[in-house]
Amino acid sequence: MTKIGNGVPDEIPELMALPIVSRPLFPGFYKAVVLHDVRHIEAIKELVKRGHPYVGVFLNREASPTTEAIMHDDEIYHNGVLAQITSIFPQSDIKDTNHKEGLTIVLYPHRRIQVEKVVVAKDEVNEPVTGADSSEVTSFDVIQEGEYATEEAPMAFLRNKVTMVHVVNRPDDPVDKSEPTIRAVVSEIVSLLKEISAMNPLFRDQITAFTLSLASGNVFDEPVRLSDFAAAVSAGDSVELQELIDTQDIGERLKKGLVLLKKELMNAKLQAKINKDVESKLQKRQREYYLMEQMRGIRRELGLESDGKDKLVEKFKERAEKLSMPTAAQRVFDEELNKLMNLEPSASEFNVTRNYLDWITQIPWGLKSTENYSIKHATEVLENDHYGLKDVKDRILEFIAVGKLRGNVDGKILCFVGPPGVGKTSIGKSIARALNRQFQRFSVGGLTDVAEIKGHRRTYVGALPGRIIQSLKKCQTENPLILIDEVDKIGRGHQGDPASALLELLDPEQNHSFLDHYMDIPVDLSKVLFVCTANMTDTIPRPLLDRMEVIQVSGYIAEEKKAIAGKYLAPQAREQSGLKDVDIDLTPEAIDILIKSYCAESGVRNLKQQIEKVYRKAAFEIVKDLKEDPSAAELNLLTEEGKANADSPEKSSSEVLRVPYKVPSTVHVNVNPENLHNYVGPPIYVFDKLYDTEPPVGVVTGLAWTALGGDVMMIESVLEAPLSPSATASFKRTGMLGDVLKESTVIAYTFAKMYIASRFPENRFFDHARIHLHCPEGAVPKDGPSAGVTISTSLLSLALNRAIDPTIAMTGEITVTGRIRRIGGLREKCVAAKRDGAKTIFFPKANMADWEALPENVREGLEGVPCVYYEDVFSRCFKEIAREEGNKVWLPTLGQVKEEDKNAPRAPGSGLGDLFPPLGGGVNEIHA
């Protein structure tokens, strides 16, 4: 680097013009400028070499000029500074972005100057200047080649190379330092400089250098330098700074410098605020990052967390070592693990493979829970969890006994079928607890997507295994008990048939290699004990039902409901209502009324809800009648921890812990039949029997089975008016009857006419009677093949004008020849008959095994009459009627008929005369 002397001539009329951009130079403050123009670089070097290192520096009017040369005098501001070149850097030290050589020079401005004329070299003019007026000609000339420097013009050698300017000095106007305005402005500038320096360290260094450069050491004695310093260190735009160069008056110059410093202070304050906000956020993030890294380090040391692909692979390997994967699963695991090791974490396939490996290592390959085949333990569990259900409990104990002898209970699919609320799901839980197996339940009611059972293919986004694999993952054993609820309500949609997907799952011959779409490897489900529940078997697909062992879970009779309410439901509801230590008495008589008038269904779910309603109402009445002081109560109910939370502002949103309120011992509540309606409202079932007294002719009590249990179905037959012997016979039926029941009415009507014709040849009732058969509760749909016997009896009761004993109930389907066929749901029907007050029940003899299997408490008080032919029913219901009476009993009903009508021959029969001998023959004789 070349050092240059500091002698400055007082007058330099001709100077090389050096344009700069962005901001002008101010006297007394150094500035570094980078040059790229070759002519300017050569000129600067020549000036330094000749010992005349002075140039005129002027601000270019354009913010981004296309060239460093001055092509016209209005391209630059005419007020600039005389600057001395104090230092230059060699060409090899700097290059611009286009790899052109450049030169950096350090300038020191000495004084203000003003341009009088701009002289441009010929080779710097793109086009000759034409059309210029006289003023332009005097201020802008083109120098021709051949003109050289003289002693009077030391820079004349540059005229044919670079732009030259003729300048004059612009001395500063005199200033009175003691003038109040000047002193006030100077004082304000100094104050602003101090305030800015406190915010900006770089500003502080510049002020220190400026203060040291003052000869007097007092800024108040140098207002000219102070105004230039304010402009030099501020970040004003080029126009504002140029105005400060143009201003001659020192007072005005100081004021403009003050404005620039005010803006600088505002920028400094804004920058300080931004820096403070950013620093605060950065500190918070750095603190969180530091703490998170510490926590990760601690978790890694404890083995709770690992990061990185290698750690992930190691985790999967550790899981696989604890499992006993079959060969097929182990091979797939190795392939997927190798794939994961070769994938980048950012790849989309990486997460798919990682999730698959996570699932395959979460399946409990070879992990089993130790089963308990103790009959005593199982008996205790079943007795503690359930009341009654003796046949179900016996079947479960048999199931466990076989497992004890074989060592396992594989290959069995149990299906509990019964009305709602009888405890089918809870039985499954009890079996799991008795066998010491993990329990998992999921419902397939309304399920329409096969993927819910068999999983999704891994090609889909968000694919998951089916519910069976998910259940294995949750249970973490190969031999859990999985309860599949509501299999009779499974749906079928456009995504496939889930019932068909269950075939593979529930087939003991196939489920040892169950194939899930997501896992795509065989999974052994033969060790899983599947238990299904359903309300009925009619809607279960036959292939699926064939794979299950159906166990009927019938409803409860009133005595069983009463025992369940006293042993299980009432204590649970009492504790849940907060009345465990309160003297409240729900009398057995009130429970009887609840069962009889509010909860007539087969299950106990509604009974549980009604009992809970009683205790909730009682709790409300107790709290309402206490009339305690709210403030004192609130104070007494808070625990110490609750008080601490309530007093702490940091935990003001936390839940205030409370202790149960202690009800005084003087409080006593008695719920009896007299006040029960105050707790549960009016009775839902206002009567049990349709007829309180002996029913009229043509009314017979039938029995029906529904999904909710057994029910009583009355059959009524009446004669339509007018009752005339000349009326045409007709038969119609009402009562929302289904197709099967309609067929039963036609069969029963045909059979009754033939039976009367065979037994009582002179009885012409059906030849003239207009009969209307009705099943009450017409809005309730009714269907089923078990009402033929009841309908036939109703029609015969009308034809023989003989009322049927109201304590007799019957069920069974009849053929046109009088044969009584087997029916289903005998237990539920017997429960309904007993609830209705029946004492005798007629049922098909083919159901004798079902009758003998009934519990003693159900059969107690009931006489069962098995029947093969309708004659068995007729001989008990119409045993006192004689032939003569039967032949004539219809005449008072329809009135006298013509003699020829009485003796008119009957239509050809169907051979029933041989089947039904004249009255007087016994049942055994008929059947023989």
Side-chain angles (χ1 to χ4, degrees), residues 26 124 184 260 351 574 714 742 824:
F26 290 90
E124 287 190 336
L260 292 175
N351 285 332
R574 183 171 184 171
M714 305 299 296
K742 287 179 180 178

Side-chain angles (χ1 to χ4, degrees), residues 697-712:
V697 173
V699 176
V700 183
T701 303
L703 300 175
W705 179 93
T706 67
L708 300 178
D711 197 4
V712 171

Side-chain angles (χ1 to χ4, degrees), residues 382-383 386-397:
L382 293 175
E383 291 297 333
H386 303 278
Y387 181 86
L389 304 179
K390 183 178 183 303
D391 51 347
V392 177
K393 292 178 181 178
D394 291 343
R395 179 62 188 88
I396 295 172
L397 293 177

Side-chain angles (χ1 to χ4, degrees), residues 415-425 443 445 484-490 532-540 545 548 550-555 602-603 605 705-710 825 828:
C415 181
F416 294 109
V417 179
V422 296
K424 298 184 296 296
T425 303
S443 176
I484 305 176
D485 222 347
E486 310 294 350
V487 292
D488 59 327
K489 300 176 182 65
I490 193 167
C532 305
T533 67
N535 295 130
M536 62 182 70
T537 58
D538 298 344
T539 56
I540 301 177
L545 186 64
M548 306 179 192
V550 177
I551 299 177
Q552 293 288 340
V553 184
S554 302
S602 299
R605 183 175 291 124
W705 179 93
T706 67
L708 300 178
E828 289 80 2

Side-chain angles (χ1 to χ4, degrees), residues 181-381:
T181 303
I182 299 296
R183 292 182 63 85
V185 175
V186 170
S187 177
E188 182 65 21
I189 290 176
V190 173
S191 176
L192 286 176
L193 291 175
K194 290 180 180 179
E195 192 171 354
I196 297 173
S197 64
M199 300 179 181
N200 193 338
L202 181 61
F203 216 93
R204 185 164 54 249
D205 296 340
Q206 291 177 332
I207 293 175
T208 302
F210 170 70
T211 305
L212 293 176
S213 67
L214 297 179
S216 61
N218 187 357
V219 294
F220 290 96
D221 295 334
E222 299 289 341
V224 177
R225 296 283 305 277
L226 186 62
S227 63
D228 287 341
F229 175 75
V233 298
S234 67
D237 60 23
S238 59
V239 177
E240 291 178 328
L241 297 176
Q242 183 62 37
E243 288 180 359
L244 210 66
I245 292 291
D246 297 341
T247 303
Q248 286 289 109
D249 184 76
I250 303 302
E252 290 298 322
R253 193 185 299 172
L254 286 172
K255 291 179 181 179
K256 291 181 179 180
L258 179 62
V259 172
L260 292 175
L261 287 179
K262 282 284 187 181
K263 293 181 180 180
E264 193 69 27
L265 178 62
M266 293 175 61
N267 291 335
K269 288 182 177 180
L270 181 59
Q271 184 178 0
K273 181 179 181 300
I274 294 174
N275 288 339
K276 184 177 180 181
D277 295 341
V278 172
E279 184 178 358
S280 175
K281 292 180 180 179
L282 288 177
Q283 287 179 351
K284 181 180 179 181
R285 291 181 181 177
Q286 288 176 350
R287 181 173 178 271
E288 291 177 353
Y289 175 78
Y290 177 72
L291 293 176
M292 288 297 294
E293 288 298 321
Q294 279 188 327
M295 186 172 69
R296 288 194 185 100
I298 294 172
R299 292 177 65 87
R300 281 195 296 270
E301 290 296 327
L302 293 175
L304 300 177
E305 181 181 294
S306 60
D307 52 358
K309 185 168 65 176
D310 295 337
K311 295 291 185 182
L312 198 61
V313 171
E314 183 181 350
K315 179 183 72 173
F316 289 139
K317 286 183 177 179
E318 290 177 356
R319 285 187 186 175
E321 290 175 357
K322 300 177 183 178
L323 304 174
S324 300
M325 290 188 185
T327 305
Q330 185 67 47
R331 182 172 59 253
V332 173
F333 172 77
D334 294 338
E335 292 174 357
E336 294 293 328
L337 192 64
N338 291 333
K339 183 194 296 184
L340 184 73
M341 295 170 64
N342 296 324
L343 287 173
E344 290 297 327
S346 58
S348 59
E349 187 71 14
F350 183 85
N351 285 332
V352 175
T353 306
R354 182 185 62 183
N355 291 338
Y356 181 75
L357 287 171
D358 183 68
W359 276 104
I360 201 173
T361 55
Q362 289 284 356
I363 296 178
W365 308 100
L367 301 180
K368 299 180 183 178
S369 59
T370 304
E371 293 181 306
N372 186 355
Y373 293 117
S374 172
I375 298 297
K376 181 180 179 181
H377 171 70
T379 304
E380 292 176 355
V381 170

Side-chain angles (χ1 to χ4, degrees), residues 552-587:
Q552 293 288 340
V553 184
S554 302
Y556 300 101
I557 62 175
E559 290 77 7
E560 292 175 332
K561 285 186 177 182
K562 184 175 181 180
I564 292 172
K567 187 176 181 181
Y568 301 100
L569 304 182
Q572 293 175 4
R574 183 171 184 171
E575 184 173 356
Q576 292 175 0
S577 302
L579 302 173
K580 183 178 180 181
D581 300 325
V582 180
D583 185 9
I584 179 171
D585 183 22
L586 178 61
T587 63

